[in-house]
Structures are given as C-alpha cells and as structure tokens.
Amino acid sequence: DESLDPPKRPRLVEPEAESAESAADNESEESEEAPSDVEGALMSLRPSRPPLVVLRHLIYSVLTDRTKVDRDVEALARNGKLRLVQLPSGGDDVGVFLAEDWRREVDLRCDADVAAAFLDLSARRADLYVEARDVTGVEALCAAGLLRPRRDVPGDYFWFACPNLGGFASRLHHGRDVLRRSLR
C-alpha cells in the first residue's frame, strides 16, 4: 500500500531568526513607501516642462493590466496622491497629475486663502467634478482656470481643471489628426 503513495516532498528549512540589527534596518525600509507601479509609470511618462500632466490612457502603454491601472489610479486619487482633471479637448481625455505638481499649479494661480480652500476640497474629492454648492469662491477658481463649467449635465457642476491646458489639448488634437492622416 505505502509503495503506491507518491513520494513526499522534502520540507524547506526555516531561515534562522534575524539579528536585531537587520530587523531594525528592514523596519525602517518598510516604513518608507515605495512608489506604486502607476506612480512609477507617471514619473517616467511625465513631461519635463509644464504642464506636468499625463493622459490616463498613456499609462496603459507602460502597464499592461488595464483593470489594475484603473483601480490603482482611482485608489491613489482617493488617497490624495494623484489629481484627475478633465481636459478641454472635447473628448473623454483625463489628465493625471501627481499631487505635488497639482498643488504647485494651484498655489501659483490663486491667492493663499482660495488655494487652501480649493486644495482642501480637491483632496476630499476623487471625482473629476464638483457641485457649485460645495465650493467657496467659484468665480475666483473659474477665473484662475481651476474649475470649468460642465455643460453636459443640468445644474451648477464644474470639472476640476488645470490652467494652460488649452494649448496642451490643442497640440494633442493636432497630433491625433496628423497620426490619423498618416495611417490612411
């Protein structure tokens, strides 16, 4: 009977306990967060000059699992590490900013009180839009280019935006047209 049983696999030997010194080193390394795959992709795709925005769909060219990319981007936006903005290109283009780049843009465009209130609001919202009743100083934020009115839904809703993205969107549209024509 016993000869018909498959041979048992040898057990792996348990590693010896680490010294207190190496355990302390590992703890300090673990406390510093390493960037996620999405953050690494954003850093590699990010342009060298403003606007420091990356199109969400470009991340798919670096990371192959689209579902994981979408989940990670949404989670990082909820955690305040990323800011998603709607581009003024007329399509469904979504721009992704690293949070520190977004804060820099807001600080440059608004006075300190408006910037602080807006950054607090945008940190609490992972969405691409906000309702006017949730915002103080809507006119100042629109004038600064940080909010754009939504025209696709009734009511006072605004897209989160970034100033000077109009030129970026225009170049994006032109580049797509050139590519389309070359493929015909």
Side-chain angles (χ1 to χ4, degrees):
D1 264 338
E2 291 179 22
S3 63
L4 298 176
D5 291 336
K8 292 184 177 181
R9 290 181 286 161
R11 288 187 179 205
L12 296 176
V13 178
E14 294 289 326
E16 293 182 26
E18 295 178 348
S19 67
E21 220 174 306
S22 64
D25 289 342
N26 286 343
E27 283 179 21
S28 67
E29 288 174 12
E30 289 173 6
S31 65
E32 297 175 17
E33 284 187 41
S36 70
D37 291 343
V38 169
E39 288 172 306
L42 281 171
M43 289 177 193
S44 69
L45 292 169
R46 195 171 95 179
S48 58
R49 58 190 173 103
L52 302 176
V53 63
V54 174
L55 296 172
R56 182 196 302 224
H57 70 268
L58 290 180
I59 301 170
Y60 303 140
S61 67
V62 177
L63 303 172
T64 56
D65 187 351
R66 291 175 64 105
T67 303
K68 184 172 179 354
V69 168
D70 289 338
R71 285 183 188 148
D72 288 351
V73 166
E74 296 301 325
L76 289 167
R78 276 192 309 277
N79 293 335
K81 293 185 176 189
L82 298 180
R83 178 73 250 166
L84 304 177
V85 298
Q86 182 71 29
L87 296 181
S89 60
D92 292 334
D93 294 323
V94 174
V96 181
F97 281 90
L98 293 172
E100 59 270 9
D101 295 336
W102 172 254
R103 283 186 199 95
R104 240 179 274 125
E105 285 293 324
V106 172
D107 286 337
L108 287 172
R109 309 288 177 204
C110 298
D111 65 10
D113 294 336
V114 173
F118 183 69
L119 286 171
D120 179 52
L121 168 73
S122 67
R124 287 183 282 127
R125 302 284 305 219
D127 303 351
L128 291 167
Y129 61 90
V130 65
E131 194 169 357
R133 65 184 166 94
D134 296 334
V135 183
T136 55
V138 171
E139 295 83 19
L141 293 170
C142 286
L146 295 168
L147 290 178
R148 285 187 319 117
R150 283 188 70 170
R151 306 212 190 295
D152 59 339
V153 293
D156 290 333
Y157 289 91
F158 294 85
W159 291 114
F160 284 113
C162 184
N164 302 328
L165 282 184
F168 175 81
S170 174
R171 290 189 304 275
L172 173 68
H173 183 68
H174 176 71
R176 286 178 176 167
D177 284 345
V178 169
L179 184 61
R180 243 182 259 128
R181 277 183 260 145
S182 69
L183 292 175
R184 286 185 186 167

